[in-house]
């Protein structure tokens, strides 16, 4: 499998939100009005103007309070269901060189829910166009790192060839398990954005792993069959 990938090691994330800000800066996206909801996470969710969101949760695990940080973004799936569902290469397509899954202005009129993203990523804007992380494909084609990776000060975010990132993820997982027995990689065979987490993924975010997400109460059997994956680990 060719193309590029990210490896995101949440054990190294300090929730500085540099990645979130760098993403906005590179894409010239406006800030959004935020409110205090009793969490350091802001804004509340991904949006047409926020492609990268540092999700923050406070959870009690085994009797200890833990801060769980999850830099959420499009996973650039190896077989993107959103591309299949859009059914229009002029609206959603993959870059054969990098594997980036890209949306165009022709997404206008599509419904983000109908794209059946298992990670709840695409968002519609005021003019009806749908947007999300584009892997900073313009930067990558010019030999630069994605803006979020370039700015990450801790090494939590990594980017490179898919095989290289998969190897790095396996090595970091092995190391992480010495301290965190529950450490695992999320859907590592299906995505180009591989996360390493140390707790159950649902504690970080309800869409941290691919899951069936009912839309307006309608059961989508096709998505269910195709997308449900168990919490996958790659320890060996
Ligand atoms: Fe499409 Fe969602 Fe996969 Fe991104 S994460 S490529 S939006 S299905
Ligand atoms: Fe944003 Fe680029 Fe990072 Fe995607 S790869 S989250 S577009 S900075
Ligand atoms: Fe975490 Fe790195 Fe993003 Fe800071 S820049 S929030 S350390 S992933």
């Amino acid at each position: 499998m060719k193309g590029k990938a990210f490896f995101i090691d949440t054990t190294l994330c300090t929730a500085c939100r540099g990645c979130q800000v760098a993403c906005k800066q590179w894409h010239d996206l406006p800030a959004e009005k935020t409110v205090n909801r009793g969490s350091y996470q802001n804004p509340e969710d991904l949006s047409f103007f926020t492609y990268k969101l540092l999700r923050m949760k406070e959870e009690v695990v085994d009797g200890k309070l833990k801060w769980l940080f999850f830099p959420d973004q499009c996973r650039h799936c190896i077989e993107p269901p959103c591309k299949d569902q859009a059914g229009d290469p002029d609206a959603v397509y993959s870059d054969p060189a990098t594997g980036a899954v890209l949306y165009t202005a022709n997404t206008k009129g599509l419904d983000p829910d109908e794209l059946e993203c298992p990670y709840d990523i695409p968002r519609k804007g005021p003019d009806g166009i749908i947007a999300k992380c584009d892997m900073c494909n313009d930067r990558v084609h010019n030999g630069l790192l994605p803006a979020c990776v370039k700015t990450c000060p801790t090494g939590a975010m990594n980017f490179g060839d898919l095989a290289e990132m998969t190897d790095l993820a396996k090595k970091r997982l092995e190391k992480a398990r010495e301290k965190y027995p529950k450490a695992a990689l999320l859907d590592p065979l299906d995505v180009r954005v591989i996360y390493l987490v140390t707790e159950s993924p649902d504690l970080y975010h309800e869409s941290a792993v691919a899951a069936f997400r009912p839309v307006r109460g309608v059961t989508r059997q096709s998505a269910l069959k195709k997308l449900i994956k168990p919490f996958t680990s790659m320890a060996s």
Side-chain angles (χ1 to χ4, degrees):
M1 184 68 63
K2 290 186 178 165
K4 300 293 185 184
F6 299 74
F7 167 57
I8 302 182
D9 184 344
T10 65
T11 68
L12 298 179
C13 179
T14 60
C16 72
R17 286 189 283 208
C19 52
Q20 188 174 315
V21 173
C23 181
K24 276 196 182 268
Q25 198 170 35
W26 181 254
H27 291 85
D28 207 14
L29 294 165
E32 294 181 272
K33 194 170 173 59
T34 56
V35 293
N36 186 342
R37 293 168 292 102
S39 163
Y40 287 112
Q41 179 182 314
N42 249 324
E44 187 175 12
D45 202 0
L46 292 169
S47 78
F48 185 76
F49 302 113
T50 299
Y51 304 164
K52 177 99 184 177
L53 178 67
L54 198 284
R55 297 190 185 275
M56 302 185 187
K57 297 279 285 294
E58 290 178 359
E59 297 287 343
V60 176
V61 182
D62 300 330
K64 288 186 190 158
L65 179 66
K66 293 207 170 179
W67 276 15
L68 303 178
F69 305 139
F70 192 81
D72 198 14
Q73 64 172 93
C74 169
R75 311 300 197 273
H76 297 280
C77 302
I78 304 287
E79 292 182 20
C82 61
K83 188 172 93 168
D84 291 349
Q85 291 302 317
D88 177 2
D90 290 332
V92 180
Y93 67 101
S94 297
D95 180 329
T98 63
V101 179
L102 301 167
Y103 285 18
T104 75
N106 289 342
T107 52
K108 192 169 184 169
L110 294 176
D111 178 345
D113 282 341
E114 287 170 358
L115 295 178
E116 297 190 347
C117 171
Y119 304 101
D120 190 22
I121 297 296
R123 295 292 191 276
K124 192 188 274 283
D127 56 3
I129 293 169
I130 301 176
K132 64 165 191 67
C133 158
D134 62 3
M135 200 190 267
C136 287
N137 210 34
D138 51 352
R139 291 178 62 95
V140 175
H141 273 282
N142 283 285
L144 300 172
L145 288 170
C148 53
V149 178
K150 177 74 181 170
T151 206
C152 179
T154 66
M157 298 223 41
N158 303 270
F159 184 82
D161 291 339
L162 178 60
E164 181 198 349
M165 288 299 105
T166 303
D167 284 350
L168 179 61
K170 282 184 189 175
K171 282 187 188 127
R172 291 263 189 100
L173 174 65
E174 211 174 298
K175 188 78 188 151
R177 281 204 169 148
E178 292 171 10
K179 189 171 177 189
Y180 307 103
K182 289 184 277 183
L185 305 176
L186 305 185
D187 299 338
L189 303 177
D190 300 332
V191 295
R192 292 182 186 274
V193 182
I194 304 169
Y195 289 87
L196 168 61
V197 298
T198 57
E199 307 299 336
S200 178
D202 58 300
L203 295 180
Y204 294 79
H205 173 43
E206 62 183 6
S207 301
V209 285
F212 172 62
R213 198 166 56 90
V215 174
R216 292 187 292 275
V218 177
T219 303
R220 296 174 308 192
Q221 288 300 337
S222 59
L224 183 64
K225 279 188 201 148
K226 199 166 162 187
L227 298 174
I228 277 196
K229 303 273 184 210
F231 177 40
T232 315
S233 67
M234 293 173 60
S236 57

